[in-house]
Amino acid sequence: MKSLMGKGVVLLAAATMVVLGSGATAQAGGTSEPVETGVTVDATYSERGPWEVTSQHGFGCCDSAGNKFDVWYPTDLGTNGDRHPIITWGDGTWAHPSQYDYLLSHLASWGFVVIAANNTNTGSGQEMLQAVDFLRLQNSDPSSIFYQSLDTGNVGAMGHSQGAVGALNAAISAGGNLKTAVPIELPGQYGCSLPKADPAMNICTDPRALTTGSVLYVNGSNSPISQSTQPLPWDLIGAQSAEGYFGATPDSVQKVRATLNGPNHNDIQGQPGCPVNDLGCVDGVRGFLGVLTAWNMDKLRGDEYAHSAFVSGSGELFGLPGWSNQVSNITN
């Protein structure tokens, strides 16, 4: 099943009837009706997408540390000749891909193939690039379920906390082969000059080195690790906040930053509510879904409807309830 996007109109095919807003509905059995113009981008992409999803843990082997890859993908891969963009995911420190299952499955329901190494040290970004290389090989292997079903020219990186650093490092290292990076809850760089007992704990990056593609910096307002703003400019004290990272990223790169009001550092791990006994979570992942999905729909699927949300000043993101600190250099 497929999703066709355009300015002001979205056509959805869904496995079940769901109310999309303004009285419009998507019907079961593959038929669809257009969603009226008044439906917001956030509301559209906060809902589950039109593809059924399959996930496989330990699907293939391996990154350079020997960790297997987990994958989330549309069950009907390549239907009607469709090619699916790739999103490579980076875990936070001590976290595993299964802790982000709700988010990664949601992205797959919108037509993406998501891959994550079961690796708790992803700050270098190399494990994330190795995951992309693995899928590219799968795309050319006639025995693979992914054979000729992947859009290997449209690849993005996403990650949480240390994995957010990895997403940015992956985009920098890829030299233009990644279209976008989405660092979520990116830590400040105060500790970057400190010695590390474990060399794998690479939690530093240099946003000035990102010269191609695009980047969306997202954080929760109550995260003590990922601050929204900083008291002094980044060129004096380094990138210690989303504000600092945004400022240090070259203007030649399409860049946006925004804060979701309320969440703590681990809300992105929600399923969709907070994990049991997780003091680093307030509400869960649901508030993030629309913006994160819309960004990838824009950058990896060329969706003009989603793109409109991020245009500086006039985009929906700038008036979206529950969000603050919105800044964009996208002008049209």
Side-chain angles (χ1 to χ4, degrees):
M1 293 175 284
K2 302 179 77 175
S3 170
L4 303 176
M5 307 297 167
K7 290 183 177 178
V9 172
V10 182
L11 299 180
L12 296 176
T16 57
M17 182 182 293
V18 293
V19 177
L20 297 173
S22 301
T25 60
Q27 304 289 334
T31 61
S32 61
E33 297 177 8
V35 177
E36 296 178 14
T37 304
V39 176
T40 66
V41 173
D42 181 65
T44 298
Y45 295 112
S46 292
E47 295 295 331
R48 191 80 170 179
W51 276 274
E52 294 295 327
V53 173
T54 298
S55 63
Q56 293 191 47
H57 301 288
F59 174 83
C61 194
C62 288
D63 68 11
S64 57
N67 299 289
K68 291 185 177 180
F69 300 115
D70 296 348
V71 291
W72 291 255
Y73 57 90
T75 302
D76 297 327
L77 282 163
T79 299
N80 299 321
D82 198 62
R83 295 293 180 265
H84 303 279
I86 297 168
I87 296 174
T88 182
W89 174 263
D91 305 317
T93 305
W94 301 316
H96 299 274
S98 60
Q99 292 172 256
Y100 307 94
D101 178 77
Y102 195 91
L103 170 63
L104 304 186
S105 179
H106 184 89
L107 292 168
S109 79
W110 283 99
F112 300 100
V113 171
V114 185
I115 186 166
N118 194 356
N119 192 323
T120 61
N121 291 320
T122 59
S124 72
Q126 293 308 301
E127 302 80 4
M128 300 171 71
L129 294 177
Q130 290 159 9
V132 175
D133 290 340
F134 171 80
L135 278 183
R136 286 189 169 128
L137 289 173
Q138 293 289 302
N139 190 57
S140 61
D141 181 355
S143 67
S144 172
I145 60 170
F146 294 111
Y147 180 58
Q148 294 187 351
S149 67
L150 303 178
D151 182 357
T152 57
N154 282 298
V155 182
M158 298 179 68
H160 169 231
S161 196
Q162 186 187 159
V165 178
L168 202 54
N169 279 332
I172 291 168
S173 299
N177 288 324
L178 264 61
K179 292 289 185 68
T180 194
V182 184
I184 303 165
E185 308 291 5
L186 192 58
Q189 295 190 312
Y190 288 114
C192 285
S193 61
L194 299 177
K196 299 173 180 62
D198 181 357
M201 291 285 286
N202 184 343
I203 56 171
C204 297
T205 186
D206 185 357
R208 295 172 298 178
L210 184 64
T211 57
T212 61
S214 59
V215 60
L216 171 64
Y217 296 108
V218 172
N219 72 305
S221 63
N222 287 315
S223 172
I225 297 172
S226 180
Q227 298 295 308
S228 301
T229 60
Q230 56 190 71
L232 294 172
W234 68 268
D235 51 348
L236 294 179
I237 62 172
Q240 311 302 344
S241 65
E243 178 186 35
Y245 281 107
F246 181 92
T249 303
D251 291 334
S252 59
V253 173
Q254 285 196 338
K255 56 181 180 176
V256 175
R257 72 175 176 95
T259 300
L260 182 58
N261 299 331
N264 204 330
H265 194 68
N266 289 342
D267 280 64
I268 200 69
Q269 295 178 344
Q271 303 289 341
C274 287
V276 177
N277 298 322
D278 189 339
L279 299 179
C281 179
V282 176
D283 298 315
V285 72
R286 188 170 296 280
F288 290 100
L289 296 177
V291 168
L292 296 179
T293 305
W295 179 265
N296 283 293
M297 290 296 291
D298 171 20
K299 301 307 176 189
L300 301 180
R301 295 188 70 89
D303 182 345
E304 294 183 4
Y305 174 65
H307 176 83
S308 68
F310 302 100
V311 175
S312 179
S314 64
E316 179 188 308
L317 179 63
F318 289 83
L320 198 60
W323 289 81
S324 59
N325 300 311
Q326 303 97 318
V327 185
S328 170
N329 74 344
I330 300 173
T331 57
N332 54 56

